[in-house]
Amino acid sequence: MNPIYAWKVFYRNLRAWWKLGWAIIINALDPLIFLAAFGLGLGKLIGQVDGMPYLDYIAPAMVAIAALYGSFFETTYNAFVRMYYDRLYEAYLSTRVNLEELVIGEIAWGTFRGSVYALLVIIVLMAFQIISPPDGLVMLVLSIPVALNFSALGLLMSGVVPSITFFDYIYFVYISPMMLFSETYFPLKVLPDFLRPMVPIAFPLYHGVRTMRQFLMNGEIPLLHITPVLLSAIALTILSIMLMRRRLIK
Amino acid sequence: MMAGNRLPLYAIEIRNLHKWYGRNHVLRGVNLTIAHGEYVAILGPNGAGKTTLMKSIIGMARVQKGKIRVMDADVKSDIRKARSFMGIVHQENNLDIYLSVMENLMIYGYMLDLTKGEARKKAEELLEFMEIEKHLWNEKVENLSGGTKRKLMIARALLSEPPIVIMDEPTTGLDPSIRRILWDRLLSLKQKGKTLLLTTHYMEEAHYLSDRVVFMHGGRIIEDGPPDALIKKHLPPYALEISPPIEPGGRPHIYTGNSLIIYLRNPSEIEPPEGVSRFLLRRTTLEDAFLYLTGSRL
């Protein structure tokens, strides 16, 4: 595994992405719309949650969701198109790039996109003085492991799904509930007893949200939450390599 | 590149290669050697194993049993080194549609470890060599014709000046005039000492380009040799297509649908019988030899 070749895959994606122009920020609008709807709209009705204004409560979750969106959608739909329809992986693997480097390059690229989306949300939060610039910088750094985790998860899915439509099912069955139940819009304590212990196990986003929120609340980075995100990212990356190998080199 | 600049004995060496997809035994002990500078075509009907063989050589199919060496590199243990000797043109278009013609070559030059300057110089040379007009160089790939895309794929495969070029059905789906241009370009590569291994469905292409053809059938190599010698080895020089079929009279023959092809030593051996709708005498071709040996159409 030579990281230079992973960078070359990353660089190709950067070049292609840059050519899209203004369209590159479109996906980041989604968390911003949720922020406006829930924070400014619903937030006025709710008042305070866990001792803080509702907008402040959901703001860190929106950063984590943006990291998820940018990375997961990049390594599912977009990566699948590159692999299956455009057959670019076949072309990369005809150069000096090997499979591990291809997978790492794609996961790194997904992580970058997730972090860029998180940054766009952070900029909006800073513009509305919901967070300070130094806090925004730390949150950007914290968004990287979150994006890495979902980037690896996305590529793993791309390694197994038979067709692109399966990503819709994954979104409805897993991603969408995760975005709703990971302490994003309401605290875990309001869930029924039997559901509560399942959330930290099933939904890695929960740990990302908790990490960001705890940092904003008391300035600490909770190892209890950031560690599982990192461990999960490593495990998912290894699994992605295995599954992509099975898919591409039969 | 080689130790002491000595070339290994073969450009490509395949020994006892087996491949299974589940229970399907698709390659059954393939042995093949290709000399430096040799042009070899692999022919076979769908399912013969030729694409799997090509994929095994370029490392896109796992070698389960047997050995493949490309120059002095073992494909299984050092695929990066093996690929450094090969320029690969895949069956399907896999150009980067988001990038321009020149950007495609520059990005792949980068992935092939060329510097920016080297990549640009080689790209310009190859675009001229492949007769891709200058006004298309900054055009997006998606706007190119099928023939130009294929030319670009070949140019891309030649970027790192590989000694071996691997092509999986390089002219499938192209019109005859473009096919001729590509053949001409590929033949001119021979003067540069390249080794070429290609698969094709077109007998004419195999005959025109290759020093040797390899017939595959049922995962095995059933015949291997120069095209003319192969025809001569198995069949007389003339083929008579006749419909409806008549009694072949002990001569070599094959049935194709409602027709019979009888192979003759002498063109005047059979006079046109009464009541036949088709009576066509021609030279025996590579396709006849393949049909005769396998009973399968390509």
Side-chain angles (χ1 to χ4, degrees), chain B residues 49-256:
Chain B
K50 54 189 193 307
T51 294
T52 303
L53 176 61
M54 296 294 253
K55 283 189 168 180
S56 303
I57 295 168
I58 64 173
M60 295 294 288
R62 216 154 33 90
V63 174
Q64 291 161 316
K65 188 180 170 194
K67 236 179 169 31
I68 304 175
R69 290 185 74 79
V70 176
M71 303 297 267
D72 61 350
D74 184 273
V75 165
K76 194 170 182 179
S77 61
D78 196 353
I79 185 60
R80 186 162 6 234
K81 189 175 179 192
R83 281 198 193 122
S84 73
F85 299 117
M86 295 185 274
I88 301 162
V89 180
H90 291 270
Q91 196 178 118
E92 310 263 359
N93 171 25
N94 57 11
L95 293 166
D96 204 323
I97 57 165
Y98 306 99
L99 304 178
S100 71
V101 168
M102 185 55 86
E103 285 170 328
N104 260 273
L105 296 182
M106 294 299 287
I107 283 287
Y108 283 87
Y110 187 46
M111 288 187 180
L112 289 162
D113 291 344
L114 301 181
T115 65
K116 209 171 176 180
E118 286 168 345
R120 165 71 66 169
K121 188 166 171 279
K122 278 306 299 174
E124 288 178 358
E125 273 173 36
L126 287 165
L127 289 172
E128 280 170 12
F129 173 73
M130 290 309 298
E131 297 175 3
I132 297 176
E133 293 161 51
K134 211 163 187 172
H135 70 91
L136 296 174
W137 292 9
N138 292 315
E139 195 65 55
K140 267 182 124 180
V141 161
E142 62 184 349
N143 300 332
L144 303 179
S145 67
T148 309
K149 281 180 188 163
R150 188 51 59 154
K151 285 179 182 175
L152 182 57
M153 285 177 75
I154 296 172
R156 190 180 65 179
L158 298 172
L159 262 180
S160 61
E161 297 191 28
I164 301 167
V165 182
I166 308 274
M167 296 182 163
D168 197 2
E169 299 190 16
T171 63
T172 298
L174 300 182
D175 65 55
S177 60
I178 293 287
R179 194 178 295 156
R180 285 276 168 185
I181 292 169
L182 289 183
W183 290 357
D184 171 60
R185 300 292 76 200
L186 294 177
L187 278 180
S188 69
L189 285 177
K190 198 170 175 56
Q191 286 151 15
K192 297 181 180 179
K194 304 274 184 211
T195 303
L196 177 75
L197 176 63
L198 76 147
T199 66
T200 180
H201 278 292
Y202 303 119
M203 287 289 171
E204 192 193 357
E205 180 167 277
H207 204 148
Y208 190 80
L209 290 176
S210 317
D211 304 311
R212 254 170 76 203
V213 292
V214 173
F215 286 165
M216 284 194 76
H217 191 55
R220 290 191 178 89
I221 291 177
I222 57 166
E223 195 50 280
D224 178 354
D228 290 327
L230 274 189
I231 299 168
K232 210 169 172 181
K233 180 178 169 187
H234 293 285
L235 291 171
Y238 299 100
L240 176 66
E241 292 185 25
I242 190 162
S243 180
I246 60 165
E247 173 52 46
R251 298 177 185 91
H253 65 277
I254 49 175
Y255 289 94
T256 60

Side-chain angles (χ1 to χ4, degrees), chain A residues 71-219:
Chain A
S71 56
F72 186 78
F73 284 89
E74 177 59 35
T75 52
T76 48
Y77 290 96
N78 293 354
F80 194 84
V81 168
R82 285 194 287 277
M83 172 182 70
Y84 190 83
Y85 296 103
D86 297 341
R87 308 182 81 95
L88 291 182
Y89 289 5
E90 194 179 75
Y92 302 160
L93 294 174
S94 302
T95 65
R96 305 286 185 270
V97 176
N98 70 24
L99 188 116
E100 291 81 3
E101 293 147 359
L102 164 62
V103 170
I104 302 285
E106 284 285 44
I107 290 174
W109 171 247
T111 305
F112 173 77
R113 277 199 72 167
S115 304
V116 168
Y117 289 174
L119 175 64
L120 293 172
V121 175
I122 288 167
I123 289 170
V124 172
L125 295 177
M126 288 192 305
F128 285 92
Q129 296 181 325
I130 297 166
I131 59 171
S132 67
D135 283 353
L137 192 65
V138 176
M139 286 180 79
L140 176 63
V141 174
L142 292 176
S143 75
I144 294 171
V146 177
L148 173 65
N149 189 66
F150 289 110
S151 182
L153 178 68
L155 205 66
L156 182 149
M157 303 283 185
S158 291
V160 289
V161 294
S163 73
I164 200 164
T165 51
F166 272 72
F167 292 132
D168 295 347
Y169 309 141
I170 293 165
Y171 180 81
F172 290 124
V173 170
Y174 183 63
I175 299 296
S176 187
M178 177 160 61
M179 287 199 299
L180 292 170
F181 292 100
S182 296
E183 270 205 349
T184 39
Y185 302 105
F186 50 84
L188 205 58
K189 64 186 178 200
V190 302
L191 287 177
D193 285 350
F194 75 96
L195 271 179
R196 239 177 284 159
M198 289 160 68
V199 170
I201 297 165
F203 297 152
L205 181 65
Y206 165 80
H207 298 285
V209 172
R210 284 300 292 255
T211 301
M212 304 241 182
R213 189 171 289 135
Q214 277 186 237
F215 166 73
L216 278 186
M217 280 168 66
N218 49 32

Side-chain angles (χ1 to χ4, degrees), chain B residues 236-240 251 262-270 281 284:
Chain B
Y238 299 100
L240 176 66
R251 298 177 185 91
I262 305 174
Y263 297 98
L264 311 170
R265 298 212 168 277
N266 184 335
S268 55
E269 263 178 56
I270 297 177
L281 186 69
T284 303

